[in-house]
Amino acid sequence: NAGVTQTPKFQVLKTGQSMTLQCAQDMNHEYMSWYRQDPGMGLRLIHYSVGAGITDQGEVPNGYNVSRSTTEDFPLRLLSAAPSQTSVYFCASSPGLSNEQFFGPGTRLTVL
Amino acid sequence: RKEVEQDPGPFNVPEGATVAFNCTYSNSASQSFFWYRQDCRKEPKLLMSVYSSGNEDGRFTAQLNRASQYISLLIRDSKLSDSATYLCVVQDSWGKLQFGAGTQVVVTP
């Protein structure tokens, strides 16, 4: 099993550009989530999904969209990138909310 | 006030020594507690869950104090490979996970 995979590993954007961060898991987990990690702060939940077709907002959803058309994939879209979105983004999956979270390797995003 | 607070460290620990650190949480209705380990520029990985009665996993011991709303992690006989950032994670009553910013541990030869 590959576990949770994320692409790209690194990305540089200009302010106003849009892009999609990809996340996939091959463990048949129902629960998937996106976090951002900034220096001096804990991981903050952006959006999450409890199953295909179901998504909900987390703590910091503004500026991001998600969709969950399949169990395996959970892409994160930046609509119009801003310097405040410079961060490390982690996707995670788990069998359920109370279970161990399996994280992808992260995407390091810089917005100029 | 942050929901989960940790001393950022770093805790500089000689190899073979014991180190312990705490994490405080603000929501008294929190349900579940975890310690995750994060190596530099890597993803977090589950180290251990924290149970009400306290629990051990090899050289690692986790304790929960609900009255004072903190959890602790103790590492005995520290190894160089224990150098990492340890994230405290608290699950609230709605099932959402709240992450602390992490405590950095540096084990020195």
Side-chain angles (χ1 to χ4, degrees), chain B residues 11-98:
Chain B
F11 285 67
N12 294 296
V13 186
E15 198 174 3
T18 295
V19 61
F21 41 89
N22 294 340
C23 158
T24 59
Y25 61 94
S26 60
N27 184 351
S28 59
S30 297
Q31 301 289 316
S32 303
F33 308 87
F34 310 89
W35 285 105
Y36 277 71
R37 171 196 168 120
Q38 186 173 25
D39 293 307
C40 188
R41 302 181 72 79
K42 298 284 191 180
E43 71 272 22
K45 293 184 179 178
L46 180 66
L47 178 67
M48 58 196 301
S49 301
V50 185
Y51 302 121
S52 297
S53 55
N55 47 299
E56 275 190 20
D57 184 358
R59 297 181 293 105
F60 297 84
T61 300
Q63 296 279 356
L64 168 63
N65 186 316
R66 282 193 183 272
S68 299
Q69 294 184 207
Y70 74 87
I71 65 173
S72 64
L73 182 66
L74 181 146
I75 307 173
R76 282 186 303 277
D77 187 24
S78 298
K79 312 291 185 192
L80 295 177
S81 57
D82 294 335
S83 296
T85 297
Y86 292 85
L87 308 180
C88 171
V89 183
V90 176
Q91 187 170 33
D92 66 22
S93 48
W94 290 275
K96 299 283 179 61
L97 297 178
Q98 299 289 344

Side-chain angles (χ1 to χ4, degrees), chain A residues 10 31 35 37 40-43 45 48 57 59 90 97-101 103-106 108, chain B residues 2 32 34 36 38 40-46 87 91 94-102:
Chain A
F10 301 93
Y31 186 83
Y35 294 89
Q37 186 174 36
M41 303 183 74
L43 276 77
L45 183 64
Y48 67 98
Q57 295 181 352
E59 181 186 353
F90 288 103
L97 279 176
S98 298
N99 300 98
E100 176 182 357
Q101 302 285 310
F103 287 87
R108 282 160 180 77
Chain B
K2 293 180 183 177
S32 303
F34 310 89
Y36 277 71
Q38 186 173 25
C40 188
R41 302 181 72 79
K42 298 284 191 180
E43 71 272 22
K45 293 184 179 178
L46 180 66
L87 308 180
Q91 187 170 33
W94 290 275
K96 299 283 179 61
L97 297 178
Q98 299 289 344
F99 285 77

